[in-house]
């Protein structure tokens, strides 16, 4: 047996052994420290379930980083506030479109436009600070809000944090009133569907168009638990949506052009298990087979010759690179260019 093969087999045996060792004793203190750091409080039964998830994710982090070192892979995983969660708990892209009367337009390519080699819309003031969706499956609302904030900056020159809570509270309620009575009644009984079920950014744009406006976050603040009854006050609206534009599916060149000429773009990714543990680097790992998480594209660039999209997430600043990730650009990785949209604001 050759030397390199012996080493490879030894590595597999060591990693397999480490992965199978229960995280007990010393990890009791680690688990308590994790909960203290991120403000976690569970009843006994739920605590045991969450710890099992946390232990499995810690093993995944350690194994990934070990192999990444061997392969000189730049991507690192790390412990964050979501290490005791399953991915499906914090992704919420609902494929059921509620908007029967769509206002969407198709993106038109620009002629003779010179695009920058790199772009970071944070540097131009088109992006608000990273927020956390908390316990809600509200990625769709934060993605839509990011695109709306960018367009408000383009229109007024000012950047204002807008209200994802209004979308959570009001989108389903608004569309329920246009459904047949039997369906409407059953959906209205399900309080907070936008939080529990998720949604689509395009549905958010259509809702704002129909409702006549959107409030600022300071006037309609976010809370991820509790009552989700609609309290929209039209007199406090700071913008109105006329239409929204949908980018052609799977075209990364169009996404690049739209970012450079329009502003932040609402997109979705096919997130796979482990992406909620991402810490740094250009992610080129495995993806899901379908879109399941809405995010915001805010730029593009290269690191050591590897092209990437700059993505703003809604999992808090302690996730990823201060709330952002760099996703590989060039093969429509994780289907990032399949659901690009942005709103058109009324004058």
């Amino acid at each position: 047996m050759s030397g390199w093969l012996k080493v490879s087999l030894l590595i597999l045996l060591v990693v397999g052994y480490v992965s199978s060792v229960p995280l007990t004793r010393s990890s009791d203190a680690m688990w308590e420290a994790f909960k203290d750091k991120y403000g976690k409080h569970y009843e006994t039964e739920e605590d045991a379930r969450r710890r099992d998830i946390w232990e499995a994710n810690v093993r995944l982090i350690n194994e990934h980083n070990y192999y990444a070192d061997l392969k000189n892979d730049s991507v690192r995983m790390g412990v964050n506030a979501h290490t005791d969660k399953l991915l499906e708990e914090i992704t919420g892209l609902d494929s059921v479109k509620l908007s029967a009367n769509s206002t969407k337009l198709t993106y038109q390519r620009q002629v003779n436009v010179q695009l920058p080699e790199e772009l970071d819309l944070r540097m131009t003031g088109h992006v608000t600070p990273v927020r956390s969706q908390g316990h809600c499956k509200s990625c769709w609302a934060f993605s839509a809000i990011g695109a709306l904030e960018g367009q408000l900056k383009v229109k007024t020159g000012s950047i204002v944090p807008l209200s994802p809570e209004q979308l959570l509270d009001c989108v389903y309620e608004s569309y329920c009133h246009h459904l047949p009575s039997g369906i409407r009644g059953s959906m209205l009984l399900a309080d907070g569907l936008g939080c529990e079920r998720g949604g689509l950014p395009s549905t958010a744009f259509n809702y704002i168009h129909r409702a006549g406006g959107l409030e600022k976050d300071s006037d309609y603040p976010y809370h991820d638990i509790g009552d989700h009854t609609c309290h929209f006050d039209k007199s406090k609206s700071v913008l109105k949506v006329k239409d929204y534009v949908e980018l052609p599916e799977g075209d990364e060149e169009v996404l690049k052009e739209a970012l450079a000429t329009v502003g932040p773009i609402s997109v979705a990714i096919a997130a796979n298990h482990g992406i909620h543990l991402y810490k740094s680097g250009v992610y080129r790992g495995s993806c899901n087979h379908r879109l399941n998480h809405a995010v915001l594209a805010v730029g593009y660039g290269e690191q050591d010759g590897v092209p990437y999209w700059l993505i703003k997430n809604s999992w808090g600043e302690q996730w990823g690179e201060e709330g952002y990730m760099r996703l590989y650009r060039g093969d429509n990785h994780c289907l990032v260019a399949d659901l690009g949209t942005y709103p058109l604001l009324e004058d």
Side-chain angles (χ1 to χ4, degrees):
M1 184 182 293
S2 64
W4 69 266
L5 185 55
K6 288 180 181 178
V7 172
S8 298
L9 288 173
L10 180 60
I11 288 169
L12 289 173
L13 287 171
V14 170
V15 172
Y17 172 74
V18 170
S19 300
S20 66
V21 174
L23 292 176
T24 56
R25 298 190 183 95
S26 64
S27 66
D28 289 343
M30 293 168 59
W31 171 236
E32 294 303 321
F34 168 81
K35 290 190 293 181
D36 287 344
K37 179 175 181 177
Y38 295 107
K40 309 275 187 172
H41 305 283
Y42 300 121
E43 297 297 327
T44 303
E45 187 173 330
E46 180 65 5
D47 189 272
R49 189 175 81 89
R50 289 295 168 186
R51 176 164 174 165
D52 285 345
I53 296 171
W54 171 79
E55 288 184 358
N57 282 332
V58 168
R59 290 192 185 97
L60 178 61
I61 290 167
N62 290 337
E63 288 183 25
H64 169 86
N65 290 343
Y66 179 82
Y67 282 115
D69 285 338
L70 290 178
K71 298 183 294 184
N72 293 319
D73 185 350
S74 69
V75 176
R76 290 293 181 274
M77 288 183 174
V79 172
N80 58 45
H82 308 294
T83 309
D84 64 343
K85 295 178 182 177
L86 300 172
L87 178 64
E88 54 264 32
E89 294 181 81
I90 52 175
T91 54
L93 195 67
D94 190 343
S95 60
V96 179
K97 291 190 178 182
L98 298 178
S99 48
N101 299 318
S102 176
T103 63
K104 75 174 180 180
L105 301 173
T106 302
Y107 182 82
Q108 301 298 316
R109 294 293 302 266
Q110 299 194 29
V111 180
N112 297 326
V113 60
Q114 188 70 31
L115 304 181
E117 289 297 316
E118 296 187 346
L119 179 70
D120 186 344
L121 291 169
R122 297 174 298 182
M123 301 297 101
T124 58
H126 289 78
V127 185
T128 58
V130 170
R131 289 180 271 180
S132 174
Q133 65 190 64
H135 299 285
C136 268
K137 294 184 176 183
S138 51
C139 59
W140 62 279
F142 282 93
S143 176
I145 286 297
L148 287 157
E149 290 167 343
Q151 291 309 295
L152 189 61
K153 163 70 175 178
V154 171
K155 178 184 175 183
T156 67
S158 300
I159 188 75
V160 179
L162 300 174
S163 174
E165 186 64 31
Q166 181 183 331
L167 301 180
L168 291 185
D169 295 352
C170 304
V171 165
Y172 277 87
E173 182 175 312
S174 171
Y175 284 100
C176 279
H177 290 297
H178 298 274
L179 296 172
S181 58
I183 301 175
R184 178 171 67 246
S186 63
M187 290 190 74
L188 285 173
L189 288 173
D191 181 43
L193 277 173
C195 177
E196 298 298 327
R197 177 176 175 171
L200 284 171
S202 56
T203 303
F205 301 146
N206 266 319
Y207 155 73
I208 299 167
H209 170 74
R210 295 171 61 144
L214 180 70
E215 294 186 48
K216 295 185 294 185
D217 186 65
S218 58
D219 289 331
Y220 201 144
Y222 185 73
H223 57 89
D224 61 337
I225 55 176
D227 176 56
H228 286 288
T229 303
C230 184
H231 301 291
F232 172 48
D233 184 346
K234 196 171 182 178
S235 68
K236 296 181 179 179
S237 173
V238 294
L239 60 77
K240 293 182 179 181
V241 170
K242 177 172 57 177
D243 298 294
Y244 77 90
V245 178
E246 200 168 78
L247 306 188
E249 183 177 339
D251 195 327
E252 287 189 285
E253 286 303 310
V254 170
L255 177 56
K256 180 179 178 182
E257 178 182 295
L259 279 167
T261 60
V262 174
I265 303 296
S266 172
V267 297
I269 58 173
N272 212 0
H273 179 67
I275 203 168
H276 61 310
L277 308 174
Y278 166 85
K279 183 178 181 180
S280 63
V282 179
Y283 184 81
R284 201 173 183 176
S286 64
C287 304
N288 206 314
H289 64 280
R290 64 179 182 86
L291 296 171
N292 58 3
H293 185 53
V295 290
L296 187 72
V298 299
Y300 55 84
E302 286 191 9
Q303 179 188 14
D304 299 327
V306 180
Y308 64 82
W309 298 110
L310 182 60
I311 301 293
K312 180 186 181 184
N313 205 350
S314 53
W315 290 343
E317 292 183 343
Q318 293 173 323
W319 176 85
E321 298 178 330
E322 299 183 332
Y324 291 83
M325 82 176 300
R326 286 174 292 160
L327 180 68
Y328 181 75
R329 172 169 58 96
D331 61 0
N332 194 25
H333 203 61
C334 294
L335 309 180
V336 66
D338 276 13
L339 198 67
T341 57
Y342 65 90
L344 296 178
L345 305 186
E346 289 190 7
D347 296 331

